[in-house]
Amino acid sequence: MEINGPEDGDWFFSTFGPGNVLNWVDRPYERSSDYEELLRILEEDDTEKYHSIHKGTPFYFLSWTAFDLRNFEKALFYIDAAISEDIRKLPNDWINQPGAAFLTLQDPHTQVASRTIENVRQYLVQELNRFNNISGRPPLDIQSFVDSFVRVLVLEQDVTKRTIVSGFYVFLLEFIDRYSELRIRSSIGGSILPFLIHLFKGGLIFESLLKHLYPDPAQPRRSLGNILNSHVFQADFPGQIPTGSSTLQEVVDGIDGNSIQSAFIATSRLRNTTGHNLVWDDVFSDPDIYRNLFYQEMNAILYLISHKFL
């Protein structure tokens, strides 16, 4: 086939892709595998033409089926890939295409994947409401969150900043599964790897936001502690924030309510403990301890957004 514009790719993949079911989950693994196999075949057959054809449609459906599989990392990877395809082929209108509309949680009724977008919005609203009840800050609603934070990073000239938004959604959505897994695991415990990795993601999002908000071209690789002790950060959030701990129990014991200080300390300590070792004391025999650690990290992220983006 000749490729003259994005419409050729849209026609091809809508003709030969399996699509997805609108109102319920139906064979997501098979649909996802079909799309990935189709893309692999095309790439192997003609690499040049593969990179030329617009692939927004299969990437969108790969994201949607990954959400159905609850593989949130893959879901956000593919929706970001769809956005990149739209930027490549529709540089003046990509923000209004389905990929960007998915990431910015636009009105679900305007999207074919409406049931999934509505689901993400519900989880986000639930978390924003929890935060509003404890923050003492002007309330965050979903529209202000998307307009002041999500769209700002999505529209950044540095396209890698979209990773922060994707990472936030992954962190938000994965908690539900990790918490459920803890509640049904063996009474004598077991591997804590999934929970360490999830909490590490929260700490990494926090650190990434700090590096975005308090850039220092002279020290692009500076540590979390360097940022927290910098004059510009201290001007916004005065107070000592220790970043180290010798055990996870020490992190848990150091939590002091839902204040900014408590959230920043717990998140900084979790970032540095989970980022340097997989062998730690198992503090997760009570799943609510894990939930409280998640809340501390989410609070830290939302405090930053509330203070610096709105």
Side-chain angles (χ1 to χ4, degrees):
M1 63 180 289
E2 292 185 2
I3 300 172
N4 299 307
E7 63 279 358
D8 296 316
D10 296 341
W11 170 83
F12 180 88
F13 290 110
S14 63
T15 301
F16 296 105
N20 201 7
V21 175
L22 293 178
N23 297 320
W24 60 85
V25 176
D26 177 73
R27 291 169 292 175
Y29 176 79
E30 289 80 357
R31 295 175 190 278
S32 179
S33 296
D34 284 351
Y35 273 115
E36 288 187 328
E37 182 63 16
L38 176 58
L39 292 175
R40 279 193 292 269
I41 291 171
L42 296 176
E43 193 276 334
E44 291 174 359
D45 183 66
D46 189 329
T47 301
E48 183 177 348
K49 186 174 286 188
Y50 173 81
H51 288 297
S52 176
I53 195 170
H54 181 245
K55 298 175 286 297
T57 296
F59 287 154
Y60 182 97
F61 278 94
L62 277 166
S63 175
W64 189 10
T65 53
F67 270 109
D68 285 347
L69 288 165
R70 303 190 71 77
N71 187 336
F72 300 117
E73 280 194 356
K74 177 177 277 195
L76 272 301
F77 167 78
Y78 276 124
I79 205 62
D80 192 78
I83 293 172
S84 293
E85 282 293 289
D86 290 337
I87 291 173
R88 183 174 66 86
K89 287 294 188 179
L90 301 160
N92 298 318
D93 193 45
W94 64 270
I95 191 64
N96 297 312
Q97 299 305 307
F102 201 129
L103 200 62
T104 55
L105 304 179
Q106 290 184 22
D107 183 1
H109 297 98
T110 66
Q111 294 255 8
V112 65
S114 59
R115 61 178 170 81
T116 298
I117 298 170
E118 183 58 42
N119 198 33
V120 177
R121 287 174 64 98
Q122 287 176 0
Y123 286 131
L124 179 57
V125 167
Q126 177 180 312
E127 201 51 42
L128 292 178
N129 288 341
R130 181 198 64 80
F131 176 74
N132 290 335
N133 288 332
I134 57 93
S135 70
R137 299 282 303 162
L140 277 169
D141 59 41
I142 192 166
Q143 198 59 51
S144 62
F145 180 87
V146 168
D147 290 344
S148 301
F149 171 63
V150 175
R151 286 180 64 89
V152 167
L153 292 186
V154 168
L155 290 167
E156 270 275 339
Q157 188 172 3
D158 180 357
V159 298
T160 61
K161 295 293 178 68
R162 293 202 306 265
T163 302
I164 299 176
V165 176
S166 299
F168 174 83
Y169 287 148
V170 171
F171 179 61
L172 169 70
L173 297 167
E174 281 188 347
F175 167 72
I176 301 148
D177 288 352
R178 300 294 85 79
Y179 183 68
S180 176
E181 289 158 6
L182 266 182
R183 292 178 64 88
I184 60 175
R185 75 170 181 166
S186 170
S187 59
I188 62 171
S191 173
I192 61 173
L193 176 64
F195 318 108
L196 291 178
I197 291 177
H198 181 243
L199 293 172
F200 176 69
K201 289 175 183 176
L204 203 55
I205 295 164
F206 176 68
E207 183 175 357
S208 300
L209 277 174
L210 289 174
K211 289 180 175 177
H212 170 75
L213 293 166
Y214 302 97
D216 185 350
Q219 300 182 73
R221 298 183 182 276
R222 60 186 175 151
S223 69
L224 177 59
N226 291 148
I227 301 172
L228 297 174
N229 291 314
S230 67
H231 294 303
V232 286
F233 178 83
Q234 286 290 316
D236 289 334
F237 304 102
Q240 289 298 112
I241 301 175
T243 61
S245 60
S246 56
T247 64
L248 289 178
Q249 188 62 52
E250 184 180 344
V251 180
V252 174
D253 293 341
I255 294 174
D256 184 20
N258 292 303
S259 67
I260 294 178
Q261 195 79 353
S262 177
F264 284 4
I265 291 173
T267 302
S268 299
R269 285 175 162 174
L270 285 168
R271 161 65 182 89
N272 282 340
T273 52
T274 58
H276 291 96
N277 200 349
L278 292 177
V279 181
W280 291 103
D281 47 319
D282 186 351
V283 297
F284 305 120
S285 56
D286 179 356
D288 288 345
I289 291 176
Y290 170 67
R291 180 173 63 182
N292 198 19
L293 292 172
F294 166 76
Y295 284 163
Q296 291 296 314
E297 291 192 329
M298 184 59 76
N299 289 349
I301 294 166
L302 293 179
Y303 273 127
L304 276 180
I305 293 171
S306 177
H307 276 269
K308 301 295 292 183
F309 284 89
L310 271 66

